[in-house]
């Protein structure tokens, strides 16, 4: 596929940019550039003194950012995991807003060779950062049955996790799992087509992707780093795409909001001093957005302000 065919429709664009409350002279960081839908909208609100820091762990996203913005003096670009954003010198002066639009982009899903999709046969890779780390094939070749089952259960809520892990370990000596099609066929055989409208590989592919990319650890570290680097009044906006991520974002905001936590079993726990305040409630895409972009259907946007 050509770069032109590999486009990404930004999710909850207006709501996210509104949430960041962009000021013309502010310094913003988009930790998930993708193909720049959100970045472009932030940039259109910046004056000559504003700065936009762009990160992505996918080298192809960074190449797209460089092709489009290298000549713009307001834009700085870095190929890295957003979990390391505080290690970037450009963030040390403080940030007025951080956006994390989590998960994978449409180009990553649509480019079969990346191995994220069970709809096309391709090498079983699934790494967002193709320059480092273990692929899904390498993980499935090395992990023991218990670890595979735990990943499928914890990150995919796959009820058949143990049976699937057993089948993978039983089959892999004869034929290592190197192709998406091979894994999809095993999942179809073990799980069967029980959930109408849902491919039997959906949960396991999601779980492996989260594991291969360490997505939940990156989110936690990224939110902590953002909190450290945000200026007072700066905004954190996170768009998540499944309940594990949204739960982590919700708890992060709650745990830093200084509220006393009531526990049913013990006395109320005195929270640490407040560092964040939620801005409004969780927001969801409109029916119109979902109709125009079905990939937005599971999105949840949460915004918080640094105190
Ligand atoms: C949903 S897309 C972002 C789309 C983007 N907002 C746009 O409008 O084009 C997610 C992007 O974030 C990147 N990504 C996911 N987790 C990351 C992380 N921990 N650090 C850096 N980039 C990450 C992916 O490589 C992907 O390009």
């Amino acid at each position: 596929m050509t770069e032109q065919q590999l486009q990404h429709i930004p999710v909850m664009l207006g709501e996210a940019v509104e949430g960041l409350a962009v000021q013309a002279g502010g310094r913003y960081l988009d930790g998930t550039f993708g193909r720049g839908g959100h970045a472009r909208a932030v940039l259109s609100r910046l004056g000559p003194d504003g700065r936009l820091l762009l990160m992505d762990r996918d080298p192809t996203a960074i190449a797209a950012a460089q092709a489009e913005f290298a000549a713009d003096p307001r834009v700085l670009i870095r190929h890295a995991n957003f979990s390391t954003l505080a290690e970037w010198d450009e963030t040390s002066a403080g940030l007025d807003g951080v956006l994390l639009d989590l998960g994978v982009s449409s180009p990553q899903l649509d480019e079969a060779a990346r191995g994220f999709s069970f709809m096309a046969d391709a090498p079983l890779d699934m790494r967002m950062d193709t320059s480092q780390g273990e692929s899904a094939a390498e993980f499935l070749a090395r992990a023991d049955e218990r670890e595979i089952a735990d990943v499928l259960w914890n990150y995919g809520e796959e009820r058949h996790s143990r049976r699937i892990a057993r089948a993978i370990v039983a089959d892999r000596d004869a034929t290592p799992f190197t192709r998406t099609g091979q894994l999809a066929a095993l999942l179809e055989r073990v799980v069967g087509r029980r959930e109408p409208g849902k491919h039997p590989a959906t949960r396991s592919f999601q779980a492996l992707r989260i594991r291969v990319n360490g997505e939940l650890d990156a989110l936690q570290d990224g939110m902590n780093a953002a909190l450290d680097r945000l200026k007072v009044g700066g905004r954190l906006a996170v768009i998540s795409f499944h309940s594990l991520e949204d739960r982590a974002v919700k708890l992060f905001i709650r745990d830093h909001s200084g509220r006393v936590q009531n526990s049913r079993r013990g006395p109320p726990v005195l929270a640490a001093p407040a560092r964040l305040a939620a801005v409004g409630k969780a927001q969801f895409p409109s029916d119109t957005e979902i109709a125009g972009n079905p990939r937005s259907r599971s999105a949840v946007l949460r915004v918080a302000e640094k105190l």
Side-chain angles (χ1 to χ4, degrees):
M1 278 200 187
T2 65
E3 182 57 33
Q4 230 168 15
Q5 288 167 307
L6 295 170
Q7 287 308 316
H8 179 91
I9 306 173
V11 170
M12 303 190 75
L13 180 62
E15 296 91 331
V17 176
E18 183 79 11
L20 288 171
V22 179
Q23 307 146 41
R27 198 174 185 88
Y28 296 88
L29 183 140
D30 177 350
T32 51
F33 176 78
R35 286 301 179 275
H38 293 93
R40 236 166 269 125
V42 171
L43 203 53
S44 72
R45 288 165 172 75
L46 292 185
D49 296 332
R51 290 291 176 272
L52 178 60
L53 280 58
L54 301 176
M55 298 180 93
D56 202 295
R57 66 197 294 193
D58 185 334
T60 66
I62 290 302
Q66 259 144 4
E68 187 170 348
F69 296 116
D72 190 325
R74 300 169 301 169
V75 178
L76 299 140
I77 302 169
R78 183 169 161 107
H79 173 224
N81 193 318
F82 59 61
S83 62
T84 66
L85 71 87
E87 291 163 29
W88 190 2
D89 291 348
E90 297 292 347
T91 66
S92 56
L95 298 168
D96 296 289
V98 173
L99 171 70
L100 305 177
D101 175 19
L102 303 173
V104 279
S105 64
S106 297
Q108 288 167 333
L109 286 172
D110 295 341
E111 178 80 77
R114 303 295 303 263
F116 286 108
S117 172
F118 47 79
M119 306 295 277
D121 186 39
L124 189 56
D125 190 332
M126 295 198 190
R127 287 170 304 158
M128 294 185 200
D129 185 350
T130 45
S131 70
Q132 56 177 310
E134 185 178 58
S135 69
E138 287 162 346
F139 171 73
L140 289 182
R142 153 190 84 69
D144 66 21
E145 187 177 322
R146 172 87 189 265
E147 188 176 0
I148 297 173
D150 285 351
V151 164
L152 300 180
W153 174 250
N154 291 331
Y155 301 149
E157 293 171 79
E158 172 55 71
R159 281 181 295 131
H160 309 289
S161 56
R162 294 215 178 133
R163 279 176 47 216
I164 296 169
R166 204 175 311 134
I168 289 173
V169 170
D171 284 14
R172 73 181 174 190
D173 283 341
T175 342
F177 286 88
T178 58
R179 311 278 308 173
T180 53
Q182 225 183 326
L183 181 62
L186 174 136
L187 292 164
E188 199 158 352
R189 190 184 87 215
V190 176
V191 179
R193 289 201 171 258
R194 290 185 198 163
E195 281 177 85
K198 197 159 195 167
H199 191 285
T202 308
R203 293 172 189 279
S204 298
F205 268 62
Q206 173 189 297
L208 279 172
R209 195 200 84 203
I210 293 175
R211 169 63 179 75
V212 162
N213 294 290
E215 290 178 38
L216 294 173
D217 288 343
L219 173 58
Q220 208 61 44
D221 294 347
M223 289 190 294
N224 275 312
L227 183 54
D228 280 345
R229 285 306 196 217
L230 279 171
K231 298 177 192 165
V232 170
R235 294 280 179 95
L236 172 66
V238 186
I239 304 173
S240 60
F241 289 87
H242 54 76
S243 53
L244 292 170
E245 282 173 347
D246 181 51
R247 191 178 139 74
V249 179
K250 184 172 134 183
L251 291 181
F252 183 83
I253 296 174
R254 196 196 69 187
D255 290 350
H256 289 88
S257 68
R259 274 192 295 163
V260 173
Q261 262 120 60
N262 288 312
S263 146
R264 270 200 219 139
R265 271 162 280 159
V269 179
L270 214 66
R275 297 182 73 199
L276 267 183
V279 176
K281 295 197 168 146
Q283 297 178 65
F284 306 92
S286 65
D287 291 344
T288 318
E289 175 165 4
I290 296 172
N293 179 18
R295 282 181 184 168
S296 70
R297 67 184 173 277
S298 49
V300 184
L301 166 68
R302 290 184 190 268
V303 180
E305 186 169 304
K306 170 103 174 248
L307 300 173

